[in-house]
Amino acid sequence: MTDLADHIAGVPLIDQHAHGCWLTAGDRPRFENALNEANTDPLADFDSGFDTQLGFAIRTHCAPLLGLAEHAEPQDYWQRRSQIAEAELARIFFRAAGVSDWLIDTGYSDGVADLAGVAQLSNRWPNKPPKLKVTTPRHSNKS
């Protein structure tokens, strides 16, 4: 390996915007719908969260962590995932991510791990992302 590649391999990763993980098992529609947090409306019957870039990445990187081949079929991935408790899934995925620091948006929803829960499951202490506040200038230009 080159010096640069060695250096890059050792740089700690910081996830600058994550949410806590689920604490209870859910159904497949909840899981697939969560693959696109930009749209919280339920997916159409003909649509699948697995047919997205994130869905492809999950089947590539997460499936092997569950004992499946890369690019496992969505049904195979879901079936295997459903056999494992949410807390254990969180431990597997958090620890395999190679992230040194998590910045957790805690305002996502009920039933999701808070900072202390993420700390316990990930073996890392997370923080809340800093909030930028709009400030009003003390003095304004008056004509």
Side-chain angles (χ1 to χ4, degrees), residues 37-65:
E37 76 173 26
N39 179 4
T40 58
D41 292 335
L43 292 172
D45 290 338
F46 61 84
D47 206 358
S48 171
F50 285 109
D51 293 335
T52 64
Q53 293 302 309
L54 181 54
F56 299 143
I58 286 171
R59 291 171 39 217
T60 300
H61 301 290
C62 300
L65 297 173

Side-chain angles (χ1 to χ4, degrees), residues 25-127:
D27 59 12
R28 185 171 169 169
R30 179 187 81 169
F31 175 77
E32 288 195 47
N33 200 63
L35 297 181
N36 177 10
E37 76 173 26
N39 179 4
T40 58
D41 292 335
L43 292 172
D45 290 338
F46 61 84
D47 206 358
S48 171
F50 285 109
D51 293 335
T52 64
Q53 293 302 309
L54 181 54
F56 299 143
I58 286 171
R59 291 171 39 217
T60 300
H61 301 290
C62 300
L65 297 173
L66 303 181
L68 298 169
E70 283 187 4
H71 312 292
E73 289 297 318
Q75 182 56 34
D76 296 336
Y77 180 84
W78 177 251
Q79 183 177 5
R80 177 67 181 127
R81 181 187 171 88
S82 298
Q83 296 169 345
I84 302 171
E86 290 296 328
E88 184 58 23
L89 287 167
R91 279 189 280 279
I92 291 167
F93 295 141
F94 274 136
R95 293 174 184 179
V99 173
S100 64
D101 294 275
W102 298 97
L103 298 180
I104 304 292
D105 181 348
T106 57
Y108 185 62
S109 68
D110 294 330
V112 174
D114 59 10
L115 293 177
V118 170
Q120 181 182 21
L121 294 166
S122 69
N123 208 25
R124 301 273 188 239
W125 187 253
N127 292 290

